[in-house]
């Protein structure tokens, strides 16, 4: 028989029965022969279909999938052709607006900074001129006083050396007047008017801008930890030495020592600062009674008096909270602070070069209080808590 008259070549046969694979077993998901589905066959009782029906079902699925792929391709083509160009134009437009906003806002900040700089420099110049003028006035005044005293002295010496007894007696009234005139010239007294008043450069705007710049440029806060030797027996110190918890009952776990506060719930940090710029933060959201600040190392530790009570002596400077009352305290002087909300965190910024102590809210960078003082020695971060817990943030 020739090749033209021969039929299609038979498909693969069942390896078990040698028959055509004309059925499809849905349970085993494979083609089988009629014997496999019959009595004694391995697929007896399984759900089976004619192989051509299964093939037709697959063909329909392929057709459906091809249609879905065609629709998907059309959708992607439209997205690439229509949506992406619009997105690109939108990105360009939005970026341009954002760029203009940055330039506008920084230009405004720059203008404000330049204006504030000019204002403060003019105040510095004015204060310098005032101090200089006061010094010149004093110089003229005391030069005249010296000349007058010299003239009086010369006159008295002349009387003493050239007049005889009778003449001297006759000059008694003149001597009295000259002496009274000399006594009327008082000794010089130091005056603040002769000093440059550094308060002239104080500006809330400059302080806020400076704090924002400092906090943005610092690589991180100080690694402040509590000196366990100083912890009051009314406080519990965490293992990492960063958290203080108030206990109303005095603990006997701490051995008493010269460094330990024995009455007020205070604690000092283990590290002190004597130069440079330093900042640290404290989580205070869980406490309604706390103090945070700095203290000199010679702060007394013993007794219930004000000597060891933070903010009530010359050795400590603290920001404190009692319920809804906030204040800054030093040497028994208390300044109430009007805060809009209770800070969850409290930041301390110590600038020893400028002799300045600032308290701020880290979340907003808002300066809560600024204090200028000539600190006389190394300063330790200091803490007190009389309600719940405060923690140094690292």
């Amino acid at each position: 028989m020739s090749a033209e008259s021969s039929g299609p070549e038979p498909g693969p046969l069942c390896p078990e029965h040698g028959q055509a694979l004309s059925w499809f077993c849905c349970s085993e998901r494979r083609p089988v022969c009629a014997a496999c589905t019959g009595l004694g066959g391995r697929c007896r009782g399984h759900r089976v279909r004619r192989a051509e029906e299964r093939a037709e079902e697959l063909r329909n699925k392929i057709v459906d999938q091809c249609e879905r792929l065609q629709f998907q391709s059309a959708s992607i083509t439209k997205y690439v052709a229509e949506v992406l160009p619009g997105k690109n134009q939108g990105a360009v437009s939005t970026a341009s607006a954002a760029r203009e906003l940055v330039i506008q806002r920084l230009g405004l900040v720059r203008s404000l900074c330049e204006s504030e700089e000019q204002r403060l420099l003019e105040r510095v110049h004015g204060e310098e001129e005032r101090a200089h003028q006061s010094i010149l006035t004093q110089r003229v005044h005391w030069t005249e006083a010296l000349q007058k005293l010299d003239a009086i002295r010369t006159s008295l010496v002349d009387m003493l050396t050239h007049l005889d007894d009778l003449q001297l007696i006759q000059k008694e009234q003149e001597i009295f007047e000259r002496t009274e005139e000399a006594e009327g010239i008082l000794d010089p007294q130091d005056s603040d008017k002769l000093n440059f008043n550094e308060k002239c450069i104080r500006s809330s705007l400059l302080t806020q801008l400076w704090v924002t710049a400092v906090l943005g440029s610092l690589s991180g806060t100080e690694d402040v930890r509590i000196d366990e030797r100083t912890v009051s027996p009314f406080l519990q110190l965490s293992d990492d030495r960063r958290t203080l918890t108030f206990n109303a009952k005095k603990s006997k776990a701490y051995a008493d020592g010269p460094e330990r506060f024995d009455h007020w719930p205070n604690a000092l940090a283990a590290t002190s600062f004597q130069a440079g710029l330093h900042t640290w933060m404290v989580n205070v959201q869980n406490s309604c009674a706390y103090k945070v600040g700095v203290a000199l190392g010679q702060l007394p530790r013993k007794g219930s008096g004000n000597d060891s009570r933070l903010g009530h002596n010359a050795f400590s400077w603290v920001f404190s909270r009692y319920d809804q009352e906030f204040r800054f305290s030093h040497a028994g002087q208390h300044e109430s602070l009007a805060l809009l909300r209770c800070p969850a965190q409290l930041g301390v910024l110590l600038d020893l070069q400028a002799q300045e102590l600032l308290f701020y809210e880290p979340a907003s960078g808002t300066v809560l209080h600024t204090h200028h003082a000539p600190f006389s020695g190394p300063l330790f971060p200091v803490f007190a808590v009389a309600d719940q817990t405060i923690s140094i943030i690292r």
Side-chain angles (χ1 to χ4, degrees):
M1 185 177 291
S2 64
E4 287 84 358
S5 62
S6 63
E9 293 185 5
L13 302 178
C14 175
E16 184 177 350
H17 302 103
Q19 298 182 17
L21 299 174
S22 56
W23 293 87
F24 178 78
C25 177
C26 298
S27 299
E28 296 189 4
R29 311 294 298 174
R30 67 185 183 88
V32 295
C33 67
C36 290
T37 64
L39 186 63
R42 62 182 296 175
C43 295
R44 179 177 173 79
H46 292 182
R47 189 167 69 87
V48 296
R49 300 177 62 186
R50 298 290 299 181
E52 58 267 24
E53 293 177 1
R54 175 60 179 166
E56 184 63 24
E57 181 182 15
L58 291 176
R59 289 190 183 92
N60 292 335
K61 285 186 176 181
I62 292 174
V63 171
D64 291 343
Q65 184 62 41
C66 287
E67 290 179 351
R68 283 194 292 270
L69 292 175
Q70 186 176 1
F71 287 138
Q72 185 178 8
S73 297
S75 176
I76 292 174
T77 301
K78 182 178 180 181
Y79 178 80
V80 171
E82 299 178 8
V83 177
L84 288 183
K87 290 290 185 182
N88 185 63
Q89 184 60 39
V92 171
S93 176
T94 304
S96 177
R99 193 176 294 110
E100 290 178 4
L101 182 62
V102 169
I103 294 173
Q104 178 189 26
R105 289 188 174 180
L106 286 178
L108 181 61
V109 171
R110 191 177 298 110
S111 175
L112 184 62
C113 288
E114 291 174 352
S115 175
E116 186 69 357
E117 178 184 19
Q118 182 65 28
R119 185 182 74 86
L120 292 177
L121 289 179
E122 288 176 358
R123 290 181 64 178
V124 168
H125 178 71
E127 176 61 20
E128 183 183 27
E129 286 294 312
R130 184 208 60 76
H132 181 64
Q133 189 60 45
S134 295
I135 293 170
L136 287 179
T137 301
Q138 288 286 299
R139 187 184 299 277
V140 170
H141 170 78
W142 291 112
T143 299
E144 292 177 352
L146 284 173
Q147 291 173 350
K148 185 177 293 186
L149 289 173
D150 188 58
I152 293 171
R153 181 178 178 278
T154 300
S155 175
L156 292 174
V157 170
D158 185 66
M159 292 180 186
L160 184 64
T161 56
H162 295 93
L163 299 180
D164 58 26
D165 293 347
L166 182 58
Q167 291 173 326
L168 195 62
I169 292 172
Q170 291 174 341
K171 293 285 186 178
E172 182 178 0
Q173 181 61 31
E174 184 179 346
I175 294 170
F176 172 78
E177 292 174 355
R178 290 298 182 94
T179 302
E180 191 175 55
E181 183 181 3
E183 290 175 350
I185 300 175
L186 303 178
D187 291 337
Q189 300 292 326
D190 193 16
S191 170
D192 287 338
K193 293 181 179 180
L194 301 178
N195 301 325
F196 181 89
N197 184 3
E198 295 182 78
K199 291 182 179 179
C200 71
I201 64 169
R202 293 185 186 176
S203 158
S204 57
L205 174 61
L206 177 59
T207 298
Q208 187 64 64
L209 291 172
W210 177 75
V211 169
T212 302
V214 167
L215 296 180
S217 62
L218 288 177
S219 58
T221 57
E222 299 289 345
D223 185 13
V224 174
R225 302 196 185 216
I226 304 296
D227 184 349
E228 56 189 348
R229 300 173 304 169
T230 69
V231 177
S232 163
F234 290 101
L235 298 177
Q236 179 181 344
L237 181 63
S238 62
D239 291 340
D240 63 1
R241 294 166 41 215
R242 291 196 180 104
T243 299
L244 292 169
T245 303
F246 177 71
N247 292 317
K249 187 176 180 181
K250 194 171 185 178
S251 173
K252 297 181 180 179
Y254 297 124
D256 192 19
E259 298 89 358
R260 191 176 307 284
F261 294 96
D262 66 355
H263 179 80
W264 299 108
N266 304 340
L268 280 176
T271 306
S272 66
F273 307 115
Q274 53 186 347
L277 188 65
H278 310 275
T279 184
W280 59 96
M281 295 187 294
V282 185
N283 187 333
V284 294
Q285 63 180 344
N286 296 323
S287 179
C288 291
Y290 62 81
K291 294 180 180 179
V292 174
V294 295
L296 294 171
Q298 57 263 44
L299 173 69
R301 316 297 170 86
K302 306 301 181 182
S304 59
N306 287 337
D307 285 349
S308 58
R309 189 179 183 186
L310 299 185
H312 289 257
N313 50 66
F315 306 108
S316 56
W317 298 258
V318 293
F319 176 102
S320 65
R321 175 187 178 183
Y322 293 98
D323 292 328
Q324 299 303 310
E325 180 185 1
F326 297 87
R327 64 187 187 182
F328 173 80
S329 301
H330 170 63
Q333 301 297 314
H334 310 289
E335 182 178 349
S336 294
L337 306 177
L339 271 61
L340 297 178
R341 62 176 180 271
C342 299
Q345 297 178 352
L346 182 64
V348 183
L349 183 59
L350 179 62
D351 185 354
L352 287 166
Q353 180 180 356
Q355 298 285 281
E356 190 172 25
L357 175 66
L358 294 98
F359 299 93
Y360 65 92
E361 183 183 27
S364 62
T366 302
V367 176
L368 304 178
H369 184 70
T370 304
H371 181 75
H372 300 262
F375 302 115
S376 59
L379 293 172
F380 292 80
V382 69
F383 313 88
V385 56
D387 174 63
Q388 301 296 321
T389 295
I390 62 173
S391 298
I392 303 168
I393 301 170
R394 176 60 176 164

